[in-house]
Amino acid sequence: MPLFKKSSEMTSSGKVDKRSSLPPWKVAIIDDEPGIHEVTKFALSNFSLDGRSLVFHSCYSAEEGFALLRDEPDIALAFVDVVMENDHAGLNLVERIRNELDNHCTRIILRTGQPGSAPEEKVIRDFDINDYKAKTELTAVKLKSCVYTSLRSYRDIKIIEQSQKGMERVISASSSVLQSQTLHHFGSAVLEQTLQLLSLNSSALYLTSYHQDLYQDTQMNLLAATGEMVSYKEIDSVESLPGEVKEYIIEAMALKKSVVHDNIYVGYYQFGKDVTSLLYIKHDTSLTPLQVRILELFAANVSLTFENLSGKENVQQTQRELILIIGDAIEQRSKETGAHVRRVAIMCEMLAKFLNLSEDFIETIRYAAPLHDVGKIGIPESILHKPGKLDADEWEIMKTHAEKGYDLLAASNRIIAKMGARIAYTHHERWDGQGYPRGLVGDETPLEGRIMAVVDVVDALLSKRSYKPAWPAEKVEEYIKEQSGKQFDPVLCEATVELMPKFVAIQRELPDEAVKNE
C-alpha cells in the first residue's frame, strides 16, 4: 500500500496553474484503492470553479485522512471510502473530523463499493455528510456535479464564517474605537476594522476635503490612515501628500468620481454641498462590488461622524489655546515671560510620562499647568511690579495668589480646571512643610502640585531674569539634589535630574522674547 505523503499534491490539470493568482481548491481522496485515486483525478482533470483549479491530496487509510484534515484545515472537499482498515473506518473518520477536529466546513462525500454494508438512509441521517454514493454510480458527469455542488457550498460557508469573524473583530475592537482620543485615532480604528472585515490586506488613507468656508479658505483633513500610510498624521492640502498618492487623488478630484488603477482604488464621495470625502486604498486583489459598497458606507459614516465630533474637538482645542493665552497674559502682567507657561506645560507632561502616570493625568497636567499662577490676577500691580524686595506685608499679600487661583478655578467641574485649581493652590507647598499657604507635609500635597513645584523652579533657574542670569544646567542639578527631601519630593528630584538635558532642550526650543532678540 502506498505511503501517505502530505506533499502528494496535484492540480486537476496535472500541475499548478501559474496563470491564476487565486489558490486552488483542496480536494482530499481518502481511499485504500489506488485505482480510485487515479480515476477520480482523471475524471476531474481541467475542472475549474470561480477561476480556481483543484489540487489533490491522496490518503490511503482513515488514519492518514485524519492526519491530513488535522494539519490542513482548509480542505474544501473530501471523498471518503467507507470500508478501509475496517468496515466502518470511513464512518468513524467522519465522526472524528466533525467532533474531534470541530471541522464543519469541509464538504464530505462518502463513497462505498459495498452499498449493503452501510444503508444509505441510515448513514445520511446519522452522519454529518453531504452526499453518499456507490462507486459504480459515480460517472464522470455525476462526479463533476457533486464537486460543483460541494465546492459552492464550501465557498458560501467560508464567506459566512469570514463575515462572522470579521464582525467579531469589529465588536472586540469597538472599545478601542470608542476610546480613541482624537478624530484621527477614531477614523484609523474604524478603517482598520473595515479592511479586516473585508479581508483586505491594504494600505489605506482617508481624507475629507472641505469646500471654501465663509472666508474663502479651504481645508483638507486626514481622518484615518493604516498600513504604510500611518506615517502621514497631518495633511492640510493635496500638496502635502506623497507623490503617487497625490496624482491619484488629484485625478479623482478633477473627474469628481471614483477611479480604479490596477491595485489602486480612490473613492470619491460627495456628501451635501460642503464635504467631499476621498478614500485612497492600495490593495493586493481587485475589489468586489460589495467591498466597494461597504467602503462607500464607511466613508459616508465616518464623514458624518467627523462633522458631528469636529465641533466638539474644536471647542476643546479652543479651550486649551485660551488657557495658554490666559497663562501668557498673567505672566506678562507680572513682568514674566509668556514662554514660561508653555515650557512648564511641556516639562510637567514630560515628568508625568517619565513617572509612568496614566494617559489622562499626563494630558490633563499639560493643559492645567499654565494656570498655576492665575491667582496673580488678583495681586495689585504695585506689588507685582515692585523693583525691589517685598516687605513682610507685601509678601503676605503676594502669597495669597495661591488661594486666589484656587478660588477662581475650584467652582468648575471640568477636569483641566479642577487640576488647575489644585496646582494653583499647592505649587508653593514644600516637602518639609515649610511652604504656603497651608504648610502641607510630604505627600499631603497632591502629586500635580509637587510636579509643578519642581518644574516651576527649574524653569525659573534656567531662565535669564532682570535680577539674575540663567543658571547652567549643572548648577540647577546641584540645587535640586540639595533640596531633595526639603523643598521637593525626593522621587521627583531624581526624575528631574534624569530629565535635565531634555528640559534644557525645551529652553532652547522655546526661548524667552528677550533671549530671542539678543
Side-chain angles (χ1 to χ4, degrees):
M1 183 178 293
L3 294 175
F4 163 64
K5 294 182 180 178
K6 188 172 140 182
S7 60
S8 176
E9 304 174 0
M10 183 179 294
T11 63
S12 53
S13 59
K15 57 183 179 180
V16 175
D17 184 1
K18 295 182 179 178
R19 295 171 299 171
S20 175
S21 61
L22 297 173
W25 303 102
K26 293 184 179 181
V27 177
I29 304 173
I30 306 171
D31 198 301
D32 60 357
E33 297 181 44
I36 293 297
H37 292 254
E38 300 306 318
V39 169
T40 303
K41 292 174 185 177
F42 179 77
L44 296 174
S45 60
N46 298 317
F47 180 97
S48 177
L49 176 64
D50 295 340
R52 299 169 64 178
S53 58
L54 304 180
V55 62
F56 295 100
H57 295 252
S58 289
C59 303
Y60 297 90
S61 69
E63 282 303 317
E64 290 177 4
F66 181 80
L68 172 67
L69 270 294
R70 180 193 62 211
D71 299 337
E72 302 277 349
D74 58 342
I75 297 292
L77 170 62
F79 290 105
V80 179
D81 188 14
V82 175
V83 180
M84 289 181 282
E85 295 97 321
N86 55 59
D87 290 348
H88 296 91
L91 297 177
N92 293 335
L93 174 60
V94 171
E95 291 274 61
R96 296 186 69 191
I97 291 171
R98 298 309 194 201
N99 297 325
E100 287 186 40
L101 299 181
D102 196 26
N103 180 342
H104 298 279
C105 295
T106 298
R107 302 295 83 194
I108 298 176
I109 297 177
L110 273 176
R111 295 193 293 189
T112 181
Q114 305 172 40
S117 64
E120 180 177 349
E121 182 181 351
K122 183 178 188 307
V123 170
I124 292 176
R125 183 189 67 218
D126 297 342
F127 293 87
D128 185 1
I129 61 173
N130 305 101
D131 210 340
Y132 183 46
K133 300 290 186 183
K135 293 179 181 180
T136 54
E137 68 175 302
L138 271 178
T139 64
V141 173
K142 288 186 177 180
L143 185 61
K144 286 183 179 180
S145 297
C146 286
V147 175
Y148 276 122
T149 303
S150 298
L151 291 184
R152 286 187 177 121
S153 177
Y154 176 80
R155 177 196 62 193
D156 294 344
I157 288 172
K158 296 304 288 185
I159 289 173
I160 294 171
E161 184 183 69
Q162 187 179 63
S163 298
Q164 289 176 330
K165 289 181 178 178
M167 186 59 66
E168 287 175 5
R169 286 196 295 266
V170 170
I171 294 172
S172 65
S174 62
S175 60
S176 64
V177 170
L178 294 173
Q179 290 171 7
S180 299
Q181 297 298 309
T182 67
L183 291 173
H184 179 79
H185 288 157
F186 168 79
S188 296
V190 176
L191 179 57
E192 181 71 34
Q193 297 310 314
T194 302
L195 295 178
Q196 286 192 25
L197 178 61
L198 297 177
S199 297
L200 289 176
N201 182 20
S202 305
S203 288
L205 182 144
Y206 176 63
L207 308 165
T208 296
S209 178
Y210 281 86
H211 293 299
Q212 290 181 334
D213 63 14
L214 180 64
Y215 299 104
Q216 308 305 305
D217 293 327
T218 58
Q219 182 182 9
M220 177 168 279
N221 298 281
L222 176 61
L223 295 190
T226 66
E228 62 188 36
M229 298 294 175
V230 294
S231 58
Y232 299 98
K233 294 193 181 290
E234 293 185 7
I235 293 176
D236 53 14
S237 70
V238 175
E239 296 303 316
S240 306
L241 295 166
E244 183 187 60
V245 179
K246 178 169 66 177
E247 293 177 12
Y248 291 120
I249 294 292
I250 290 175
E251 180 183 4
M253 292 178 72
L255 296 174
K256 296 193 175 191
K257 67 177 185 179
S258 300
V259 296
V260 179
H261 290 283
D262 297 327
N263 64 331
I264 302 296
Y265 170 79
V266 181
Y268 179 93
Y269 315 107
Q270 188 77 45
F271 305 114
K273 64 177 182 178
D274 295 325
V275 181
T276 301
S277 291
L278 295 147
L279 175 61
Y280 171 91
I281 293 182
K282 184 176 182 181
H283 47 88
D284 295 337
T285 58
S286 59
L287 300 177
T288 66
L290 175 61
Q291 289 173 324
V292 172
R293 176 60 182 156
I294 290 176
L295 290 172
E296 182 178 349
L297 288 172
F298 158 79
N301 284 284
V302 173
S303 184
L304 291 172
T305 302
F306 173 79
E307 287 189 81
N308 292 330
L309 296 183
S310 60
K312 176 183 176 182
E313 187 166 272
N314 285 336
V315 169
Q316 291 175 336
Q317 189 59 35
T318 300
Q319 290 174 339
R320 292 162 182 166
E321 290 178 4
L322 286 174
I323 287 171
L324 283 173
I325 292 170
I326 291 170
D328 285 351
I330 297 300
E331 295 300 322
Q332 289 174 17
R333 183 173 182 271
S334 59
K335 299 301 184 183
E336 294 289 349
T337 167
H340 169 69
V341 297
R342 299 175 186 274
R343 290 195 300 265
V344 297
I346 298 172
M347 291 161 71
C348 284
E349 178 188 33
M350 200 174 285
L351 194 51
K353 283 183 178 178
F354 185 86
L355 297 172
N356 293 317
L357 301 177
S358 71
E359 289 295 325
D360 285 345
F361 186 97
I362 292 168
E363 182 180 16
T364 304
I365 198 170
R366 173 167 186 170
Y367 295 112
L371 298 171
H372 64 286
D373 276 339
V374 69
K376 286 183 178 179
I377 198 171
I379 303 300
E381 289 192 12
S382 59
I383 294 177
L384 283 176
H385 300 164
K386 184 176 180 178
K389 186 177 180 180
L390 300 179
D391 62 31
D393 290 337
E394 291 169 334
W395 178 238
E396 288 303 316
I397 292 173
M398 174 61 83
K399 289 195 295 183
T400 63
H401 83 273
E403 191 165 358
K404 289 179 185 294
Y406 174 80
D407 291 339
L408 283 170
L409 299 170
S412 174
N413 285 324
R414 302 299 179 186
I415 188 62
I416 292 175
K418 287 169 71 174
M419 183 179 283
R422 290 158 69 92
I423 289 174
Y425 202 18
T426 63
H427 74 288
H428 286 296
E429 299 288 357
R430 291 172 53 107
W431 186 259
D432 60 11
Q434 299 303 307
Y436 68 88
R438 290 183 291 169
L440 301 178
V441 178
D443 58 12
E444 289 178 355
T445 301
L447 180 57
E448 52 266 43
R450 303 200 308 268
I451 290 175
M452 189 68 234
V454 67
V455 165
D456 196 26
V457 170
V458 167
D459 186 72
L461 295 178
L462 288 172
S463 303
K464 180 181 178 181
R465 294 288 184 267
S466 59
Y467 53 86
K468 76 169 188 67
W471 284 21
E474 295 78 12
K475 186 176 179 181
V476 177
E477 285 186 18
E478 289 177 10
Y479 180 80
I480 295 300
K481 290 176 182 177
E482 177 188 324
Q483 293 300 318
S484 177
K486 299 175 184 176
Q487 186 174 355
F488 307 120
D489 179 342
V491 173
L492 297 183
C493 289
E494 290 182 18
T496 299
V497 171
E498 287 284 329
L499 291 171
M500 192 61 67
K502 293 184 178 181
F503 289 168
V504 172
I506 292 170
Q507 283 274 336
R508 294 197 195 99
E509 293 168 10
L510 293 171
D512 298 330
E513 286 298 323
V515 174
K516 283 197 289 186
N517 295 331
E518 288 181 353

